[in-house]
Amino acid sequence: MKYSLLGVALCLSLVQPMAQAKPLDIKTESGKIRVTALAEGLENAWSLAFLPDGTMLVTEKPGRMRIVTPEGKLSEPLRGLPKVFNQGQAGLLDVVLAPDFATSKKIYFSYSEPDDKGKSSTAVSFATLKGGALENVTRIFSQQPKIDSGAHFGSRLVWKDDGTLFITLGDRYSEKDKAQILDNHQGKVVRINADGTVPQDNPFVKTSGALPEIWSYGHRNIQGAAINPLTKKLWTGEHGPQGGDELNIDEATKNYGWPVITYGENYGGGKIGEGTHKAGMEQPIYKWVPSIATTGFIFYTGDKFPQWKNNILLASLKEQTLVRLVLDGDKVVKEERLLKKELGQRLRSVVQGPDGLIYLVTDESNAKILQIAPQ
Ligand SMILES: [Ca+2]
């Protein structure tokens, strides 16, 4: 078990006091913002969730979850996580609180789950948070089938207003054609109840040969998802191939086209599929060509940046930017890149804090939690 020994060694060396780096002031179209590193010493941070006491849960891709104080002090890794496959894009991924966290103390998290033959897929578990440990860890979803691939795991966890849970998944890269077939979970958005059972109003429950968890299909690798606060609809963002990152309004039964239609091409060039449009397949509502490597996003609803109300704030890995998208109904009418590589860090997730400020986590070997405030 060389991985776990290495993990322990890294964990011990990574516990550090608060970050000391100087804040960075950046000019935007609507005033200056100040970016402050709240914490560092994380490894490929993936997701962040605020707890009611003002501390934060943070996941690290190699398979650790910690609690971070507002001053940036990292806890030891929480005990009790399941075994996580950590290779390529695999690892510990998203974390969210249960809607009833105040009473249940339950959290939900997604991760790459290995089998004993070297294959893997995306899984979701819930657990009770108690002190420095996760208790009663219960797996409620396991993407089928497991694949011999270290790529395209998704995933985001988003609560629908009816208490069901959306899980966004990837096509697992090596078997992309399966995104068009409903007998598997590759390249799908799925919807489950909080206990892992299937909602009986899911769109393919009565479709012969279809897996009943499926909500929508024809996706490549969805690493961003959020509910639009005005329409209550699910919006998702997915990595395209070379070119063709997409933002979609993700609705039940719909086919989002991958790999039959795309605005991208193979890495190094070469056509994928049939073109950009096809009857019965949805068009993205916005796309990036060339790709920015779109990942986590939010709809901003706080009061600290009133000029950004209901805008999308979206993280980019490759372009190391925070994108602001202005919407008019279901249309994107403007894009501003709030950061222009000043940080030099790949951004993985965006969260709105309970204070209305904006928090980012970075995908770096010395990963940070960043806070954005009006200057
Ligand atoms: Ca598409």
Side-chain angles (χ1 to χ4, degrees):
M1 290 284 97
K2 61 180 174 173
Y3 287 123
S4 53
L5 286 176
L6 180 62
V8 169
L10 282 171
C11 300
L12 294 175
S13 67
L14 283 173
V15 178
Q16 294 185 355
M18 65 180 284
Q20 301 289 343
K22 264 176 41 184
L24 191 63
D25 291 334
I26 292 173
K27 204 172 159 200
T28 75
E29 291 177 14
S30 38
K32 275 190 180 169
I33 56 174
R34 173 161 287 183
V35 184
T36 308
L38 281 191
E40 62 180 346
L42 297 159
E43 186 179 5
N44 300 101
W46 215 97
S47 181
L48 181 75
F50 275 88
L51 292 162
D53 65 1
T55 63
M56 296 161 269
L57 275 175
V58 62
T59 60
E60 299 173 80
K61 198 179 76 70
R64 292 184 293 272
M65 191 183 305
R66 299 175 192 268
I67 294 173
V68 185
T69 68
E71 296 77 33
K73 190 170 182 331
L74 309 183
S75 76
E76 293 291 331
L78 302 181
R79 299 181 303 278
L81 272 180
K83 187 177 176 187
V84 168
F85 179 59
N86 172 30
Q87 176 190 304
Q89 298 167 3
L92 181 60
L93 307 172
D94 206 9
V95 61
V96 295
L97 306 193
D100 66 351
F101 178 84
T103 51
S104 71
K105 307 297 177 204
K106 260 193 203 168
I107 65 165
Y108 286 69
F109 55 96
S110 62
Y111 54 102
S112 308
E113 179 188 58
D115 68 8
D116 54 11
K117 300 181 192 72
K119 296 181 176 181
S120 62
S121 70
T122 304
V124 176
S125 289
F126 68 70
T128 311
L129 183 62
K130 193 169 178 191
L134 301 177
E135 296 184 348
N136 307 312
V137 178
T138 306
R139 193 192 68 182
I140 56 165
F141 176 77
S142 178
Q143 182 188 29
Q144 298 301 320
K146 287 196 156 37
I147 304 286
D148 184 6
S149 162
H152 295 193
F153 292 87
S155 63
R156 291 287 166 186
L157 305 177
V158 177
W159 295 104
K160 196 172 186 300
D161 55 2
D162 62 3
T164 60
L165 181 66
F166 288 121
I167 307 166
T168 74
L169 298 165
D171 66 358
R172 306 306 320 289
Y173 187 71
S174 58
E175 299 183 5
K176 64 181 187 298
D177 293 339
K178 284 194 178 173
Q180 286 293 318
I181 303 168
L182 296 176
D183 67 356
N184 68 80
H185 293 132
Q186 289 162 252
K188 309 298 189 302
V189 172
V190 301
R191 173 179 174 244
I192 59 173
N193 291 315
D195 64 358
T197 57
V198 174
Q200 285 311 297
D201 60 350
N202 257 5
F204 296 109
V205 161
K206 295 190 172 73
T207 303
S208 174
L211 296 184
E213 299 88 359
I214 296 172
W215 172 262
S216 67
Y217 65 109
H219 294 290
R220 186 168 180 271
N221 188 23
I222 307 176
Q223 292 201 321
I227 301 288
N228 182 324
L230 300 178
T231 64
K232 310 297 181 200
K233 285 186 178 170
L234 176 68
W235 289 42
T236 56
E238 66 184 69
H239 294 279
Q242 182 168 289
D245 289 0
E246 297 182 356
L247 190 65
N248 289 295
I249 300 176
D250 213 292
E251 297 189 285
T253 74
K254 291 194 173 169
N255 178 354
Y256 290 83
W258 177 255
V260 180
I261 58 170
T262 175
Y263 288 85
E265 59 179 11
N266 280 310
Y267 295 107
K271 190 179 176 184
I272 297 171
E274 301 177 10
T276 59
H277 288 65
K278 187 166 182 169
M281 296 184 181
E282 301 302 309
Q283 283 294 306
I285 62 154
Y286 196 70
K287 60 184 183 293
W288 288 269
V289 182
S291 299
I292 62 169
T294 173
T295 171
F297 70 86
I298 58 168
F299 290 85
Y300 182 76
T301 58
D303 295 323
K304 294 284 165 60
F305 298 93
Q307 68 279 25
W308 295 351
K309 203 104 170 175
N310 297 318
N311 289 180
I312 286 177
L313 301 176
L314 176 143
S316 144
L317 293 162
K318 194 174 78 182
E319 290 300 311
Q320 305 175 348
T321 185
L322 182 65
V323 174
R324 180 171 74 95
L325 298 177
V326 181
L327 306 175
D328 179 7
D330 287 344
K331 285 201 171 64
V332 175
V333 293
K334 178 182 169 61
E335 171 176 344
E336 179 186 7
R337 301 207 175 170
L338 295 172
L339 305 173
K340 298 166 195 72
K341 299 197 177 180
E342 295 95 334
L343 298 172
Q345 295 170 56
R346 291 159 56 86
L347 305 180
R348 175 65 77 180
S349 289
V350 190
V351 173
Q352 179 180 314
D355 53 9
L357 300 179
I358 294 153
Y359 294 81
L360 308 171
V361 299
T362 69
D363 178 43
E364 299 287 335
S365 55
N366 177 16
K368 297 179 171 67
I369 299 172
L370 305 172
Q371 179 198 65
I372 298 183
Q375 195 203 1

